[in-house]
Amino acid sequence: MKKFLSLVTVALAALAMTACTTVLPGTATSNAVGSKVGEASCSLIIGIPIPLFNQDLGVATAAKNGGITKISTIDTKTYTILGFYTKVSTVVTGE
């Protein structure tokens, strides 16, 4: 029984350290890809937004955060840990 509990503890610890990041290209314009990058993000716990953090995922906010006036590409990045914690970000590149 002691070995079983040790095995379960190790398995749960390994599972707790797993995470997944997905980047989805959203759209692109005919503007040349610039050197500036802006990001706006939202954090969720079990799918519920955390009200203490900035929860604006807008393209305009991401562009403003990066000082971008001419948008080239817009991507959506999702980072999740076991479905418990999720961070969704809008990433904008341009000049």
Side-chain angles (χ1 to χ4, degrees):
M1 184 67 169
K2 197 172 192 179
K3 286 183 181 181
F4 176 74
L5 289 176
S6 297
L7 181 62
V8 169
T9 303
V10 170
L12 287 175
L15 187 62
M17 291 186 281
T18 62
C20 179
T21 300
T22 306
V23 178
L24 301 172
T27 187
T29 65
S30 60
N31 296 333
V33 176
S35 58
K36 296 180 182 178
V37 177
E39 186 172 332
S41 60
C42 172
S43 296
L44 309 161
I45 293 183
I46 313 174
I48 301 169
I50 303 170
L52 300 176
F53 300 120
N54 182 13
Q55 299 297 321
D56 189 355
L57 284 172
V59 173
T61 302
K64 181 180 174 185
N65 291 345
I68 298 169
T69 55
K70 293 174 72 176
I71 296 173
S72 300
T73 64
I74 303 169
D75 298 329
T76 303
K77 181 170 56 171
T78 305
Y79 172 77
T80 186
I81 300 175
L82 297 176
F84 177 73
Y85 172 80
T86 303
K87 181 179 179 183
V88 182
S89 302
T90 299
V91 181
V92 175
T93 62
E95 285 298 330

